[in-house]
Amino acid sequence: MSERLVIIGGDAAGMSAASQARRLKGPRELEIVAFERGNFTSFSACGIPYWVAGDVDERDALIARTPQEHQQRHIDLRMRTEVLEIDPRERRVRARDLASGAEEWTSYDKLVIATGARPLRPDLPGIDAPGVHGVQTLDDGQALLDTLGDTEGRRAVVVGAGYIGVEMAEALLRRGYEVTVVNRSAEPMATLDPDMGRLVHEAMTGMGITMVNDAEVTAVRTGDDGRARAVATEDDEFPADVVVLGMGVRPETELARAAGLPLGDHGGLLTDLSMRVRGPVADGAIWAGGDCVEVLDLVWGRERHIALGTHANKHGQVIGANVGGGYATFPGVVGTAVSKVCDLEIARTGLREKDARSAGLQYEAVTIESTSRAGYFPGAASMAVKMLAERRTGRLLGTQIVGREGAGKRVDVAAVALTARMTVEQMTALDLGYAPPFSPVWDPVLVAARKAVAAVRAGSAA
Amino acid sequence: MSERLVIIGGDAAGMSAASQARRLKGPRELEIVAFERGNFTSFSACGIPYWVAGDVDERDALIARTPQEHQQRHIDLRMRTEVLEIDPRERRVRARDLASGAEEWTSYDKLVIATGARPLRPDLPGIDAPGVHGVQTLDDGQALLDTLGDTEGRRAVVVGAGYIGVEMAEALLRRGYEVTVVNRSAEPMATLDPDMGRLVHEAMTGMGITMVNDAEVTAVRTGDDGRARAVATEDDEFPADVVVLGMGVRPETELARAAGLPLGDHGGLLTDLSMRVRGPVADGAIWAGGDCVEVLDLVWGRERHIALGTHANKHGQVIGANVGGGYATFPGVVGTAVSKVCDLEIARTGLREKDARSAGLQYEAVTIESTSRAGYFPGAASMAVKMLAERRTGRLLGTQIVGREGAGKRVDVAAVALTARMTVEQMTALDLGYAPPFSPVWDPVLVAARKAVAAVRAGSAA
């Protein structure tokens, strides 16, 4: 008796699930059908800014596994085929072949929803004009590269200053553009506290990028040829030969919503720890993972939506193990992220000050300056480390790092400490790697922990 | 009523203790007398190879705090003064001013022993000949630099292939020497398992360094001028214009032994978790820290001797807090170390295979190859990660990493996971920083953890 596993979405979460399930069960035991509406599978969306920058030579380098490779592994992958409806009562999905327009119902024993996220694209005048680009898909990346190749002008406006925004600012700067970043928040990188975002702001200004904060875009102005020529805010207008949108993403869950599946406060699907969709409608037969789900924030104690390829891959592994007859769970996240803009590295994990307040936590916050290597070692680069610890208990709540080479991945120490629910005092004793080319004798994370210990003590005495 | 704190040894542990105690108690409450037999305080011995290599321009860059700076902070620091005897019954020490030869007893209420370690220097013919150098003190470093400046020849032999040995091999290579490393172990870096040491061996050979393993030095041959001219082993002889000894260190505990204080299996002082020397002789009035003590290995469950500046600084902080009326502990180590030779990064934490066997632990060992960045990202450098997990429980026991840029400090993730006693399965869910310039979508440490999970499962089924 063969079971049928149906997968909606051919990217990281969906195809990791397919591959893992196939590893556990052969084609006689488990039939796997996967629907992908686009032209590609298993590609690295996070790599697009580096392709645009020229770090990565060609599109195909970003493809981890092609449709053909999946098909060779006995996965019935149907490209350019869009699922239009999930019918959980009858356990079937309705899909349309985008070329022929033909529609067909496919029944499932188990279903994986891996529909990803869609970029925010506010309904503003001119937003769809030629010269305005998203950077979500490989097609988006190619279209942007085509525009950059066609355009004489050298002025670029990036809307949004999150990870995509700052990475695209670097990419365009390195391609010789005058770059303006227009950002609705007080500082870039709103995933950091504003005092740390300020450091990013100053560094980007130092790189020659024009930073416009606290500014809401009201329209994209177009020229006589209909192409984008400027980005307008309430107070100002910024000339643009090319406009890149990096305003964040929302879970792509319209199918799930229409099917009556449970969505969280951020619009993402809600699953249990095995990544199985909760509730009676799913009836234990539907799993979901990747950018379309919400995940438990282990520090905050609630669900969040975090679109990251590394989580999507983990979800896929967990789902694949479970639908393949094994057992695995995804316990949650602590909110780790790292990025860079030119030589500036930006990292964060855990809660920001406003998150801690929102979670009902009282905290002490400290910031220190240190270096990536022993101070006397060539290339020792400065970094700022901000650390939040719970008042009285001293439990680590979050860490943010802004610095140069060697700064970003230090956040992993805090990420593991958060997972283990360590106190900042426990952290001061951590046995981290030390040698002059790698760290000062007190690693910057430990320096921050020591200052946090002192703040917690002072706060407890008060 | 002022108390007197006496400190023996003016380097990392001793002077960190002095500084921390002074922060907590002013000179009216606590008199601090520190004896240092050498010419320097608070210097970075770990920095000496980089000074010799030319990365660090001048000796004084390696001095974190001069005697004058300590004295300005109301520490009665007596340079060039050697403590000859500890009298724990009378709570006093006998010290000699090395210039005048005058001896004097100084009483203490609390004593800190921070006498450090001394390099191993086997009693071999020619070992004290001109041209044979240790690299433990700043004077050693200067003497070696003087020899390098005076010597016409360009052949260097390094004896020992631990951290100091490989770092000195790099330093001499970069100064234009033909470098031979003679090593008694089967592979260099005996703090790694031999299979990982083999990778270091191959990389060093690739750098043009001649590696001679499994070879015991029997003599240093001297020329007519009395200077070293070759290093002899049982089977061979290696011409040398300069010889550098990097054969490891032993705790410097002769004073402590003579005073009847308790020493461990490795010759180091034994303390409690507050770094107070154990037993009735110390009578609760003597603390010890830095390279002269043994520390609890939290994975092994027994004491080890690990000479590292980062531990010495932590010990000093803990001792200073406790003798200053505060409270702190040093819970132990997990055995983390990181080093490099040219662009090869070498890191380890926890137990090697032979350590695990010696500790009575059964384990699974796996090794994976991965890269420091996304595979498609420029500069993605390969690394090997070896991971040991306890049989059945899957608890992480150790991790070793050999690779290029971005490899070494990844060991910190394993160090924190060891401290938190995580299983390799828990590690697979760790939320580590991901972006293409920083990591593949599965961080190499997580790839190793996944393979270890599979090995533990297979081992449990067996």
Side-chain angles (χ1 to χ4, degrees), chain B residues 259-292:
Chain B
L261 295 172
L263 303 183
D265 292 348
H266 310 282
L269 272 155
L270 296 176
T271 73
D272 65 15
L273 295 175
S274 74
M275 302 307 296
R276 200 163 53 172
V277 175
R278 298 180 199 168
V281 175
D283 197 22
I286 306 181
W287 278 259
D291 293 357
C292 66

Side-chain angles (χ1 to χ4, degrees), chain A residues 15-148:
Chain A
M15 298 319 288
S16 289
S19 301
Q20 180 65 15
R22 178 53 77 229
R23 242 171 258 136
L24 296 172
K25 284 195 173 166
R28 290 190 185 186
E29 284 181 288
L30 184 70
E31 182 190 359
I32 305 179
V33 180
F35 296 102
E36 166 55 46
R37 67 182 176 187
N39 296 306
F40 305 98
T41 50
S42 307
F43 70 91
S44 170
C46 345
I48 293 175
Y50 307 100
W51 175 32
V52 174
D55 286 323
V56 177
D57 285 340
E58 46 172 19
R59 188 192 67 192
D60 289 357
L62 301 182
I63 298 174
R65 203 168 274 173
T66 63
Q68 292 69 36
E69 290 170 309
H70 287 297
Q71 284 156 349
Q72 280 160 12
R73 306 186 71 192
H74 304 288
I75 292 164
D76 179 3
L77 175 61
R78 306 190 189 168
M79 298 300 296
R80 302 278 305 148
T81 305
E82 182 167 13
V83 172
L84 303 173
E85 186 182 348
I86 301 168
D87 176 358
R89 281 167 207 274
E90 301 292 326
R91 297 200 174 181
R92 58 183 189 160
V93 302
R94 180 164 58 90
R96 177 189 292 156
D97 180 315
L98 294 179
S100 69
E103 292 189 11
E104 191 180 30
W105 285 99
T106 303
S107 64
Y108 62 80
D109 297 292
K110 290 170 179 164
L111 176 68
V112 176
I113 303 176
T115 43
R118 76 189 126 78
L120 290 174
R121 202 174 173 106
D123 186 23
L124 296 175
I127 194 89
D128 293 321
V132 181
H133 292 271
V135 283
Q136 174 85 348
T137 66
L138 293 180
D139 288 333
D140 290 343
Q142 190 59 60
L144 173 57
L145 281 166
D146 291 345
T147 291
L148 298 181

Side-chain angles (χ1 to χ4, degrees), chain A residues 44 47 50 55 310-311 313-314 317 334-336 338 376-378 405 409 412 428 430-431 433 441-443 450, chain B residues 44 47 50 55 310-311 313-314 317 333-336 376-378 405 409 412 428 430-431 433 441-443 450:
Chain A
S44 170
Y50 307 100
D55 286 323
T310 187
H311 298 331
N313 272 279
K314 289 192 181 106
Q317 283 285 133
V334 294
T336 312
V338 59
Y376 55 77
F377 200 88
E405 195 204 341
K409 277 291 266 180
D412 285 350
T428 61
L430 283 173
D431 185 4
V441 72
W442 288 94
D443 190 278
R450 284 172 63 190
Chain B
S44 171
Y50 307 100
D55 286 323
T310 188
H311 297 330
N313 272 277
K314 288 193 181 106
Q317 282 286 132
V333 303
V334 294
T336 312
Y376 55 78
F377 201 88
E405 194 204 345
K409 277 291 266 180
D412 285 350
T428 61
L430 284 173
D431 184 3
V441 71
W442 288 95
D443 191 279
R450 284 173 62 188

Side-chain angles (χ1 to χ4, degrees), chain A residues 314-396:
Chain A
K314 289 192 181 106
H315 296 168
Q317 283 285 133
V318 167
I319 293 169
N322 290 320
V323 300
Y327 173 62
T329 62
F330 183 81
V333 302
V334 294
T336 312
V338 59
S339 188
K340 78 177 191 70
V341 47
C342 299
D343 65 345
L344 190 78
E345 301 187 359
I346 306 158
R348 54 97 67 222
T349 190
L351 306 184
R352 296 165 297 182
E353 293 198 42
K354 73 175 181 181
D355 303 331
R357 285 192 297 267
S358 158
L361 295 168
Q362 295 190 18
Y363 61 87
E364 310 290 343
V366 299
T367 303
I368 62 96
E369 293 251 341
S370 184
T371 53
S372 57
R373 306 167 189 259
Y376 55 77
F377 200 88
S382 70
M383 74 179 77
V385 181
K386 179 170 182 171
M387 195 171 275
L388 268 63
E390 190 181 18
R391 192 179 161 199
R392 303 202 21 190
T393 71
R395 181 164 65 95
L396 177 68

